[in-house]
Amino acid sequence: MKVRTRFAPSPTGYMHIGNLRTALYAWLFARHNNGKFILRIEDTDRNRLVEEAGNVIFRTLKDTGLNYDEGPDIGGEYGPYVQSERKEIYGKYARLLVEKGAAYYCFCTKERLDHLREQAAAEGKVFKYDKHCMSLSKEEVQRKIAAGEEYVIRQNIPTQGEASYEDMVYGKISVPMSDMEDNILLKSDGWPTYNLANVIDDHLMEITHVIRGMEYLSSTPKYNLLYDALGWQRPVYIHLPPVMKDKHKKLSKRNGDASYEDLIQKGYLKEAILNYIALLGWNPGGEREIYSLNELAEVFTLEGLSKSSAIFDIEKLTWMNGEYIRALSLEAFIERARPYFEQSLTSHVDLKKLATLIQPRLETLVQIGEKISFVNALPEYSIDLYSHKKMKTTPENSLNILIAARQKMASLEDFTNDALYSALLEVAQEAEVKSGRVLWPVRIAITGTAVTPGGATEIAELLGKEETLARMDFSISKLERELQ
């Protein structure tokens, strides 16, 4: 059997992490089994469509490398791949289901249905359609249709017995027929519901493995009744546990949880995001956690899927993102970080030197701005920063050290890290103090901050001789004024 999986999102909003994980697993399963991965856009819920949401789907899949073999924008022999372009197909099969007794026309008005719901609520019962229109004769149905009465087509679910199937993650799933309702398959405007469209499309597109969220676990028996009524082979089902914010809440954009594009804007690398969400509900075995996309495809199997919900841990993602940043070549890092450098830098600086300093100290790319802000100009700072318990420095004992350091640095023709470091060690030796008593005050004097992407001499080389000495002069004057 040639494996064919699909990702079938609705263009009703952003690409949340759960959506992307479903797409990733479907892609990985197809690639692991040398199969095909199909993109289908399910846009039949016309009231919830969001402009540009379709473009977000295309953009995200292409950006993450989840290339599809067939889809709306690249075509394929099973198209169209947008449900709104397949409307006539659904009507045809809905009527065929009526002919087979697996569905029926329903002419109930909104008023009657509202009354039934109110009655069920008053009796403390769950509303369930009462099959009222199933008793209509074929002649009555034709007469009503001819008279222009509005109708829907409902699925005819038996009232007795049990429907069951085997899920590859959750095992045997059984649902009593009496628990299922005769849901609408075709709405009065001719548009199908998910209940009908997903079955028709999965069969006609020859999808062999349906990978989707576990919210469809209990409704899948209804879909199987349609497969059986039409004489079609059921696909293999792989339902996935949800991705949670914590033990009680699902991830939700409404609650401020990040979408894929949000995470990208926050400075996470796409490779790290994919690697992390691959491990949300799936375990490849062993202790290894860092995998490229192709490596994930090599090791992905259904046996590693969990039945338990997965909790999205932003701290774990941040750690993994830092690993990915540090693994980049310097050239690749500069290319990825360039927009952040350009946004943050207002003065000329050797980008390669700056990147060398900052790359090992980043967890996300957006941290670049705060970590290099001192490069543009010396910020206002308190002389209390000169106090460092471990280095045994204070504002008072730093002043003479800075004066001596400034003099030694000014004499250097070779203003490089190695030369600067040797020069400052000489200052320490002459003052008969440890190197930290010199290096810490110099770092504060030229950066105005206690946390920097590199030591004093690395930053001095980055800033250059003229700027470094100008900052030393300012800081020495500042200390002299405030210590008076």
Side-chain angles (χ1 to χ4, degrees):
M1 176 175 63
K2 183 73 170 178
V3 168
R4 287 175 61 83
T5 67
R6 49 72 162 176
F7 177 51
S10 299
T12 55
Y14 68 108
M15 176 78 87
H16 63 70
I17 295 302
N19 282 149
L20 184 56
R21 188 192 63 170
T22 299
L24 174 61
Y25 285 176
W27 186 92
L28 290 173
F29 187 77
R31 294 295 176 257
H32 182 80
N33 292 283
N34 298 312
K36 299 285 188 180
F37 174 61
I38 290 88
L39 173 64
R40 182 173 76 228
I41 301 298
E42 299 193 338
D43 62 344
T44 57
D45 190 346
R46 309 304 290 174
N47 295 323
R48 295 178 60 227
L49 297 184
V50 174
E51 192 175 352
E52 283 300 303
N55 289 334
V56 170
I57 294 167
F58 297 137
R59 187 165 62 240
T60 300
L61 292 180
K62 288 175 181 176
D63 186 50
T64 54
L66 300 182
N67 52 305
Y68 38 94
D69 302 290
E70 302 166 27
D73 54 338
I74 61 174
E77 60 181 301
Y78 298 91
Y81 294 92
V82 178
Q83 285 186 336
S84 58
E85 298 173 16
R86 301 169 62 84
K87 188 176 179 181
E88 296 307 313
I89 297 174
Y90 308 124
K92 167 187 154 187
Y93 281 102
R95 290 186 288 274
L96 180 58
L97 287 166
V98 171
E99 291 176 20
K100 291 178 175 290
Y104 57 93
Y105 290 94
C106 175
F107 298 88
C108 288
T109 62
K110 181 179 182 299
E111 289 71 26
R112 179 176 189 275
L113 295 175
D114 287 343
H115 175 70
L116 290 176
R117 287 190 182 90
E118 291 168 5
Q119 192 174 31
E123 296 173 2
K125 297 178 181 178
V126 176
F127 168 73
K128 185 179 176 183
Y129 182 67
D130 59 1
K131 289 183 179 284
H132 174 73
C133 289
M134 203 182 77
S135 61
L136 294 174
S137 68
K138 191 172 183 179
E139 291 73 24
E140 286 178 287
V141 168
Q142 292 302 323
R143 188 166 60 251
K144 285 177 175 290
I145 293 175
E149 288 191 36
E150 199 171 80
Y151 67 85
V152 298
I153 293 180
R154 289 183 180 271
Q155 185 173 2
N156 180 20
I157 294 177
T159 56
Q160 296 182 330
E162 200 170 67
S164 63
Y165 69 100
E166 197 73 23
D167 183 77
M168 296 299 289
V169 176
Y170 292 92
K172 186 176 182 179
I173 304 296
S174 297
V175 179
M177 299 284 196
S178 57
D179 286 354
M180 295 189 283
E181 186 185 3
D182 289 2
N183 292 115
I184 294 172
L185 298 178
L186 198 72
K187 294 179 281 189
S188 58
D189 58 6
W191 288 103
T193 61
Y194 178 84
N195 300 329
L196 176 66
N198 90 90
V199 170
I200 303 301
D201 288 343
D202 284 342
H203 172 74
L204 295 182
M205 294 180 183
E206 297 187 9
I207 302 303
T208 60
H209 294 74
V210 171
I211 301 175
R212 61 187 171 206
M214 69 170 292
E215 61 268 26
Y216 295 104
L217 201 62
S218 60
S219 57
T220 294
K222 290 188 289 192
Y223 312 148
N224 285 336
L225 291 175
L226 298 179
Y227 278 104
D228 297 346
L230 293 166
W232 295 344
Q233 182 177 345
R234 301 176 182 181
V236 176
Y237 293 108
I238 303 162
H239 287 95
L240 307 173
V243 179
M244 308 289 286
K245 179 173 186 168
D246 54 40
K247 290 182 179 179
H248 308 290
K249 297 177 185 173
K250 282 187 176 182
L251 283 178
S252 168
K253 179 74 168 178
R254 193 175 302 164
N255 295 330
D257 299 317
S259 68
Y260 169 76
E261 292 197 331
D262 288 335
L263 291 173
I264 292 295
Q265 289 171 6
K266 290 178 179 179
Y268 291 89
L269 304 184
K270 59 187 178 183
E271 297 89 346
I273 297 171
L274 279 181
N275 190 161
Y276 177 68
I277 67 171
L279 304 179
L280 285 176
W282 173 73
N283 189 334
E287 299 298 318
R288 182 180 174 187
E289 293 186 288
I290 305 297
Y291 290 87
S292 69
L293 188 57
N294 288 334
E295 288 171 337
L296 285 170
E298 287 177 15
V299 300
F300 187 82
T301 62
L302 299 182
E303 287 74 24
L305 290 174
S306 171
K307 296 180 183 179
S308 303
S309 58
I311 295 177
F312 184 83
D313 184 348
I314 191 66
E315 291 182 4
K316 182 65 177 288
L317 171 60
T318 302
W319 165 81
M320 186 173 284
N321 198 64
E323 294 293 306
Y324 269 88
I325 287 175
R326 286 184 283 278
L328 292 171
S329 68
L330 183 61
E331 293 72 22
F333 170 71
I334 291 173
E335 192 58 34
R336 296 286 188 97
R338 191 178 301 280
Y340 298 89
F341 285 134
E342 291 176 350
Q343 183 180 351
S344 304
L345 291 172
T346 57
S347 58
H348 176 73
V349 68
D350 187 321
L351 208 53
K352 197 168 184 178
K353 288 181 181 178
L354 180 58
T356 302
L357 291 180
I358 200 171
Q359 183 181 3
R361 296 168 172 86
L362 288 177
E363 289 186 307
T364 66
L365 295 178
V366 293
Q367 293 172 343
I368 289 174
E370 64 177 90
K371 288 186 181 296
I372 68 172
S373 60
F374 72 88
V375 174
N376 295 321
L378 186 66
E380 290 186 16
Y381 69 94
S382 167
I383 64 171
D384 291 340
L385 285 179
Y386 287 105
S387 298
H388 194 297
K389 190 173 182 180
K390 184 178 178 182
M391 304 296 182
K392 298 181 179 180
T393 59
T394 65
E396 290 77 11
N397 66 24
S398 294
L399 180 56
N400 287 334
I401 290 290
L402 286 178
I403 292 171
R406 197 271 183 211
Q407 184 178 358
K408 186 75 73 172
M409 294 165 81
S411 68
L412 293 175
E413 292 185 12
D414 179 17
F415 208 77
T416 60
N417 177 53
D418 290 343
L420 284 161
Y421 189 74
S422 296
L424 294 185
L425 285 185
E426 287 180 19
V427 173
Q429 290 167 0
E430 292 166 3
E432 298 182 345
V433 297
K434 290 186 177 180
S435 60
R437 283 277 302 275
V438 177
L439 294 172
W440 181 258
V442 170
R443 180 195 291 207
I444 299 302
I446 64 176
T447 68
T449 180
V451 181
T452 57
T457 55
E458 293 173 306
I459 292 169
E461 179 184 0
L462 175 71
L463 294 174
K465 188 173 184 178
E466 182 179 348
E467 178 67 15
T468 296
L469 294 180
R471 292 187 181 200
M472 291 287 285
D473 289 340
F474 175 86
S475 292
I476 289 169
S477 297
K478 178 182 176 70
L479 263 178
E480 288 175 336
R481 284 195 314 272
E482 297 192 26
L483 288 176
Q484 284 180 353

